Amino acid sequence: MTASRVLVLNSGSSSVKYQLLDMADRSRLAAGLVERIGEENSRLVHERLADGADAGAPDARRERLGPIAGHEAALAAVAQELAADGMGLDSPELAAVGHRVVHGGTRFTRPTVVDDEVLAEIRSLVPLAPLHNPANVTGIEVARGLRGDIPQVAVFDTAFHSTMPEYAARYAIDAATADKYAIRRYGFHGTSHAYVSRATAALLGRPVEDVNVIVLHLGNGASASAVRGGVCVETSMGLTPLEGLVMGTRSGDLDPAVVFHLARVGGLSVDEIDSLLNKKSGLLGMCGDNDMREVLRRAGEGDEAAGVAFAAYVHRLKKYIGAYSAVLGRVDAVAFTAGVGENAHQVREAAVDGLAELGLALDLQANAERSREPRLVSAEYARVAVAVVPTDEELEIATQTYALVTR
């Protein structure tokens, strides 16, 4: 029997998301979430998916409530749920565990099998991603303890963007200072941008090497990328996920002197400014809601603050579409993805409106229709395709992991 299953783990500071996939046919066998780790009211939701159905297994969807002390207990609970469905971590069919790791710095530009040295280097990157990399490391350590005999593979959010030319990755600050403190543009959401750019080429029926696409990953966090022939040449997030588009709670682009002003005139500490720009800005800061559905509802009812927030959100999108059209020179498609990009037809319509000179136009009826399938929503006469492509970061992580351990 050839081992073909990959367990994908996304370990957060107080949560673990997971999926089990069979890469022989790219089917999804199980998925779940452990949340509120370390609290008395921890919660695990496990779902056996249709592809992993077993007549003798318990109910397909199960939930357990109660304290889960830490990540080790969380992964042990996940292992129990998988075992109850006949898909335990001790299965000989499990080929590898793929881990989402947010920051790979300049060292990790492709999926990497984790050993002690690699783990130490990921730890050394914690200052660049203090909220994410520590939890990612913990997930890897616990999984190694459970199944140290199979490859543990780190797949980095930053890796897809490592192909940016140096002039796009560099900030125009003193080079020695930048090098000393690893200050450069890294970009994030890389697994999503990689998956969606390839899926868009497939939707167009063209080789990925022949397609230039602008990918707009619009969720609570949001980022744009310019992808030329399957290779990222520019992206909106930078040293951290704060740069770029207007997001749910993040400001995106702003004059760096705002930070100095808040410190000197407002008397805010560095930590207070960090919290303001990352957690209390964006849509939330402008109108009090970070859920685009609520922003749209309120704007539709004439709420002025929501209307301005929505307009700012769309204005920033248009700026990046225009800028990346210039960077690419030729654009074959603009692809919308993630929660807002896939579901908010009003955002897509507003973002494309007025961009006919760039070759963009929507079929309004097609754009308004809901679907979970990749689809084109552009007008037939449009020079540039507009696509809605549901992202699948778990499948992308599993694909990269399996390709590494079987090559």
Side-chain angles (χ1 to χ4, degrees):
M1 180 187 297
T2 301
S4 59
R5 292 178 180 175
V6 174
L7 177 64
V8 175
L9 293 178
N10 181 353
S11 299
S13 57
S14 61
S15 67
V16 174
K17 297 178 183 177
Y18 64 94
Q19 284 194 18
L20 180 67
L21 300 96
D22 192 332
M23 300 313 295
D25 56 6
R26 295 164 69 89
S27 60
R28 225 170 298 262
L29 306 178
L33 166 68
V34 187
E35 58 185 350
R36 301 191 290 268
I37 295 172
E39 301 180 20
E40 288 297 314
N41 61 339
S42 305
R43 175 174 177 258
L44 185 156
V45 177
H46 172 85
E47 187 173 8
R48 185 184 74 255
L49 303 176
D51 293 327
D54 180 347
D59 291 341
R61 188 180 189 279
R62 303 188 293 275
E63 181 175 339
R64 64 162 85 173
L65 300 172
I68 296 177
H71 283 72
E72 187 169 358
L75 285 183
V78 169
Q80 290 173 2
E81 294 297 332
L82 290 169
D85 290 334
M87 299 180 287
L89 297 190
D90 58 350
S91 169
E93 296 178 70
L94 188 61
V97 180
H99 297 267
R100 180 201 180 204
V101 178
V102 167
H103 217 304
T106 56
R107 163 70 172 80
F108 299 107
T109 60
R110 55 182 55 85
T112 304
V113 174
V114 177
D115 57 20
D116 291 342
E117 180 183 350
V118 168
L119 196 59
E121 291 198 49
I122 295 173
R123 249 192 229 103
S124 75
L125 296 169
V126 164
L128 292 175
L131 297 179
H132 298 96
N133 270 35
N136 302 156
V137 167
T138 299
I140 294 171
E141 289 175 329
V142 174
R144 289 179 83 195
L146 291 173
R147 280 301 305 266
D149 59 315
I150 63 173
Q152 306 285 327
V153 176
V155 178
F156 300 90
D157 274 13
T158 50
F160 182 65
H161 305 301
S162 65
T163 54
M164 282 191 294
E166 193 69 2
Y167 56 77
R170 281 275 186 177
Y171 288 109
I173 66 172
D174 173 68
T177 301
D179 291 342
K180 181 177 180 179
Y181 298 107
I183 298 172
R184 61 187 291 115
R185 303 185 63 249
Y186 294 99
F188 300 89
H189 296 147
T191 52
S192 178
H193 286 278
Y195 177 86
V196 171
S197 58
R198 287 202 314 274
T200 301
L203 186 62
L204 297 179
R206 296 169 56 181
V208 67
E209 296 82 5
D210 295 342
V211 175
N212 291 353
V213 58
I214 297 171
V215 178
L216 301 173
H217 176 108
L218 309 179
N220 191 50
S223 59
S225 67
V227 184
R228 178 182 292 124
V231 176
C232 178
V233 296
E234 177 62 285
T235 193
S236 59
M237 287 179 167
L239 174 72
T240 76
L242 181 60
E243 187 180 358
L245 303 175
V246 174
M247 305 177 221
T249 65
R250 298 180 193 134
S251 65
D253 294 337
L254 82 166
D255 182 346
V258 169
V259 176
F260 315 146
H261 183 79
L262 289 171
R264 292 168 180 160
V265 178
L268 274 69
S269 69
V270 169
D271 287 343
E272 287 172 328
I273 297 170
D274 188 321
S275 177
L276 172 70
L277 298 182
N278 277 289
K279 299 178 181 178
K280 302 174 185 176
S281 296
L283 294 174
L284 180 68
M286 294 187 75
C287 73
D289 270 310
N290 65 310
D291 188 321
M292 180 57 77
R293 292 167 295 189
E294 277 299 298
V295 175
L296 287 168
R297 181 190 64 77
R298 288 172 52 193
E301 294 174 354
D303 184 296
E304 183 177 0
V308 172
F310 179 72
Y313 185 97
V314 170
H315 178 67
R316 192 76 56 83
L317 276 177
K318 286 178 182 261
K319 286 175 66 175
Y320 272 88
I321 292 171
Y324 288 0
S325 295
V327 167
L328 290 171
R330 187 200 82 238
V331 179
D332 299 299
V334 174
F336 290 84
T337 192
V340 174
E342 294 169 27
N343 297 302
H345 67 89
Q346 303 96 323
V347 170
R348 297 192 297 266
E349 181 178 343
V352 171
D353 183 49
L355 301 185
E357 289 297 320
L358 296 180
L360 294 159
L362 288 180
D363 178 326
L364 296 181
Q365 181 176 342
N367 183 55
E369 293 174 356
R370 298 292 294 268
S371 174
R372 294 183 178 181
E373 298 300 318
R375 62 201 186 279
L376 296 178
V377 296
S378 42
E380 288 187 8
Y381 60 83
R383 187 175 75 251
V384 176
V386 179
V388 181
V389 180
T391 192
D392 197 333
E393 294 176 88
E394 290 78 14
L395 177 58
E396 180 67 20
I397 292 171
T399 299
Q400 293 190 30
T401 296
Y402 193 63
L404 178 62
V405 301
T406 57
R407 68 184 182 190

